[in-house]
């Protein structure tokens, strides 16, 4: 690194010296205490620890930061921790970070554009070596505008001007497959739940595009009234959208929901209205959260390879952190997905 | 704070000076760039930023740490991020931390005793001002043995020797109420799912005690074969335990599961075996996760006041951080809970 050796020595030894002076011991002894050496008496250890506490000396963080210009801390920004998809993904990313001896600061943006912007431009960058962010409110142009030297990996949303690496599934293809599966089981009145026209984010738009493509390929004309928008991707939003569909002029015989949570909300409404699933209504979700594996009936869904999303995102981030000059062009990694067919669309799979 | 003014000035100005010298500008200009002042030309800003990047200078973190002996970072250690209960709780704690301008490092221990011990004794304490931990593998004696100067708030598990503040619901009373609810609806063959005899943690033991108390109060003798142990609290563990119960000598007509996830797994098995819920089998869970509100039928559960758990835990932590000498005796806060009755136990609530 470019941090001068002299500076390094002066600053680290100066703070060690402060502690040593306050405790009345040598700098070496302080270092031994900090490193947990057994050669220090209990009495001395206590005295040094008191001095460390009083002076607020943070040996490891300071040393690490000074030595390499790095803290060993990465940020993970997701819309919501309590969303099962993001919770599962966060768990995998934390595991993956541990493997790299990184600590993870998790922030939830609650889908707020200001919060997302602040993370990309703000204070956090001074603690974090890099940031993995799953933007929700911000679209690609916004993300690009707030670009900064902090290494960033985007989950889901593409940055068209190559500001950052991006790791995502092929949303258009996945949505097309999910809809084609409903068509292949003989459904023609297929609704979609989960459009988010109020957001800049492209994920919902891509899933809507895949849905329409599949319908057109099968010679079915998409029906505007069967494309339901939601303000959030929660179960209650899915339940409400499903009720609207059932209360409409013509009820659908199948629903493709853009998230498993929305699909589970739709299932809830279907049960409450006395509909049989899948006989009266077939339901497909997206995300493959654990919840859907145990719902009644179990949920057919698009399953992104979450473990690979976590692994590839942190590999991208590591590459950026260890080659800070950004010589490497931004990567756009497409992660595999597969359609998992369960009882919510196929009768004889109902008790699986 | 006890950090000497002279030391503070010397160290902060020395690192600012390094950046200023490398960029060929004044320390004031570096400070302006760091604080985002508009009075700096773009050319100068770029030059200073380059110097900051090259020297690995972390102005805010360093200054904050030196000024107050604090980083503004707290740790949150939970067994699993993808567990809905902990994900919801983590989301509320992060929100609460934001309100206090704290950043949260989240760690998941995966219920591993070593990981929990490492958090209490290890490196993390040098970055974190304090730690909120929901121990799973470690019991109270272990937690006390690993006590260290880092301010710690325990969620759930009690520290009997007053090592740390503790925030929890009254597990015995809550489990007793849940079981009494099943008794009051006429059930007598009530099983329990969720004992964890392999763990030191007391939560499962307390819930088992409440379950047995309620049975005894009603003159029902607890039956060893109807107390099912699990290795984890996931849906699959609940599904397996339910299958074991149904395959046993005498099938129960009700189940109290020690978590909603276990209860949802039990529901899954009940559906697969063609049982009607609640007619053939009533099910009560614990945690009030969103999932259970939308399951079929919706799940009766013990609902802890999670928002209050988050708020009180961070209040305790703040008190510790701002009075580091630990003059205040350890608090033991009992958070309110309530039984939420839904369709999994009461027939006419089935479509609620």
């Amino acid at each position: 690194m470019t941090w001068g050796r002299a500076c390094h020595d002066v600053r680290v030894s100066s703070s060690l010296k402060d502690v040593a002076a306050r405790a009345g011991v040598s700098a070496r002894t302080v270092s031994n205490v900090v490193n947990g050496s057994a050669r220090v008496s209990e009495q001395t250890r206590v005295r040094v620890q008191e001095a460390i506490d009083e002076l607020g000396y943070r040996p490891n963080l300071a040393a690490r930061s000074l030595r390499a210009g790095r803290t060993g801390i990465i940020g993970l920004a997701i819309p919501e921790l309590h969303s099962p998809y993001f919770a599962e993904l966060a768990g995998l990313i934390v595991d993956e970070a541990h493997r790299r001896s990184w600590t993870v600061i998790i922030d939830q943006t609650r889908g707020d554009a200001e919060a997302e912007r602040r993370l990309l431009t703000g204070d956090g960058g001074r603690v974090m070596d890099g940031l993995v962010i799953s933007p929700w409110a911000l679209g690609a142009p916004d993300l690009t505008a707030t670009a900064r030297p902090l290494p960033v990996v985007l989950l889901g949303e593409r940055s068209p001007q190559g500001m950052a690496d991006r790791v995502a599934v092929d949303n258009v293809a996945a949505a097309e497959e999910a809809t084609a599966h409903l068509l292949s089981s003989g459904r023609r009145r297929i609704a979609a739940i989960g459009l988010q026209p109020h957001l800049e984010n492209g994920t919902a738009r891509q899933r809507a595009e895949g849905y329409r493509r599949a319908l057109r390929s099968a010679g079915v004309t998409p029906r505007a009234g069967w494309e339901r928008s939601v303000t959030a991707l929660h179960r209650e939003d899915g339940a409400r959208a499903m009720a609207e569909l059932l209360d409409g002029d013509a009820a659908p015989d199948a629903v493709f929901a853009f998230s498993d949570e929305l699909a589970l909300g739709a299932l809830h409404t279907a049960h409450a209205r006395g509909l049989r699933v899948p006989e009266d209504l077939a339901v497909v979700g997206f995300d493959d959260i654990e919840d859907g594996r145990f719902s009644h009936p179990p949920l057919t869904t698009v399953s992104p390879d979450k473990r690979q999303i976590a692994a590839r995102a942190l590999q991208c981030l590591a590459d950026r952190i260890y080659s800070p000059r950004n010589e490497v062009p931004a990567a756009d990694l497409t992660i595999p997905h597969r359609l998992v067919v369960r009882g919510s669309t196929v009768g004889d799979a109902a008790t699986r």
Side-chain angles (χ1 to χ4, degrees), chain A residues 230-306:
Chain A
V230 293
T231 49
L233 300 183
H234 300 155
R235 291 174 184 83
E236 58 186 348
D237 301 283
R240 200 178 306 120
M242 190 72 237
E244 289 164 7
L245 282 167
L246 295 175
D247 293 337
D249 295 340
D253 60 8
V255 169
F256 167 45
F258 294 2
S259 82
D260 278 1
E261 282 188 273
L262 290 173
L264 292 167
L267 270 187
H268 182 76
T269 298
H271 285 306
R273 300 288 185 101
L275 294 181
R276 292 166 307 153
V277 177
E279 295 82 354
D280 303 326
L281 184 79
V283 179
V284 180
F286 203 116
D287 288 342
D288 194 15
I289 61 175
E290 191 179 319
D291 199 347
R293 275 168 241 163
F294 288 85
S295 63
H296 179 67
L299 192 63
T300 295
T301 188
V302 173
S303 179
D305 187 336
K306 280 167 257 182

Side-chain angles (χ1 to χ4, degrees), chain A residues 327-351:
Chain A
E327 305 92 349
V328 194
D332 189 348
L333 301 181
T334 302
I335 303 297
H337 65 266
R338 65 199 175 89
L339 185 74
V340 180
V341 177
R342 303 199 187 100
S344 70
T345 58
V346 176
D348 58 8
T351 52

Side-chain angles (χ1 to χ4, degrees), chain A residues 107-144:
Chain A
D107 221 321
Q108 63 184 349
T109 57
R110 297 274 186 203
D112 173 40
E114 261 324 296
E116 293 181 352
R117 206 170 277 120
R118 208 159 46 233
L119 268 168
L120 288 166
T121 56
D123 229 45
R126 295 182 186 129
V127 183
M128 301 182 296
D129 291 338
L131 176 67
V132 177
I133 180 168
S134 176
W136 202 247
L138 286 190
D142 261 324
L143 288 169
T144 313

Side-chain angles (χ1 to χ4, degrees), chain A residues 78-341:
Chain A
I78 53 180
E80 295 170 324
L81 265 165
H82 73 270
S83 149
Y85 173 73
F86 287 114
E88 280 184 32
L89 192 59
L92 293 169
I93 287 175
V94 168
D95 282 348
E96 190 67 31
H98 282 183
R99 239 164 269 141
R100 296 175 180 275
S101 302
W102 285 342
T103 302
V104 182
I105 288 181
I106 299 196
D107 221 321
Q108 63 184 349
T109 57
R110 297 274 186 203
D112 173 40
E114 261 324 296
E116 293 181 352
R117 206 170 277 120
R118 208 159 46 233
L119 268 168
L120 288 166
T121 56
D123 229 45
R126 295 182 186 129
V127 183
M128 301 182 296
D129 291 338
L131 176 67
V132 177
I133 180 168
S134 176
W136 202 247
L138 286 190
D142 261 324
L143 288 169
T144 313
T146 51
R148 43 160 290 133
L150 184 71
V152 170
V153 173
L154 301 176
L155 300 180
E157 187 72 355
R158 182 179 280 114
S159 131
Q161 283 153 62
M163 156 219 170
D165 299 324
R166 180 236 194 187
V167 177
V169 295
D170 184 338
N171 280 303
V172 179
E176 197 171 349
E177 283 166 47
T179 312
H181 166 66
L182 292 169
L183 288 159
S184 75
S185 68
R187 317 281 168 161
R188 284 298 174 275
R189 297 178 287 121
I190 303 173
I193 295 180
L195 287 87
Q196 300 200 290
H198 61 293
L199 293 184
E200 287 304 315
N201 182 284
T203 304
R205 252 196 300 279
Q206 290 156 18
R207 294 183 187 173
E209 188 188 330
Y211 158 78
R212 288 179 206 131
R213 265 194 206 176
L215 292 184
R216 288 204 194 92
S217 298
V220 176
T221 311
R223 217 177 137 134
W226 280 353
E227 294 189 358
R228 307 305 302 185
S229 297
V230 293
T231 49
L233 300 183
H234 300 155
R235 291 174 184 83
E236 58 186 348
D237 301 283
R240 200 178 306 120
M242 190 72 237
E244 289 164 7
L245 282 167
L246 295 175
D247 293 337
D249 295 340
D253 60 8
V255 169
F256 167 45
F258 294 2
S259 82
D260 278 1
E261 282 188 273
L262 290 173
L264 292 167
L267 270 187
H268 182 76
T269 298
H271 285 306
R273 300 288 185 101
L275 294 181
R276 292 166 307 153
V277 177
E279 295 82 354
D280 303 326
L281 184 79
V283 179
V284 180
F286 203 116
D287 288 342
D288 194 15
I289 61 175
E290 191 179 319
D291 199 347
R293 275 168 241 163
F294 288 85
S295 63
H296 179 67
L299 192 63
T300 295
T301 188
V302 173
S303 179
D305 187 336
K306 280 167 257 182
R307 198 167 293 277
Q308 204 178 128
I309 292 176
R312 302 295 292 271
L314 291 210
Q315 182 57 52
C316 285
L317 201 61
D319 290 349
R320 293 279 156 208
I321 290 172
Y322 297 119
S323 64
R325 286 276 162 227
N326 277 330
E327 305 92 349
V328 194
D332 189 348
L333 301 181
T334 302
I335 303 297
H337 65 266
R338 65 199 175 89
L339 185 74
V340 180
V341 177

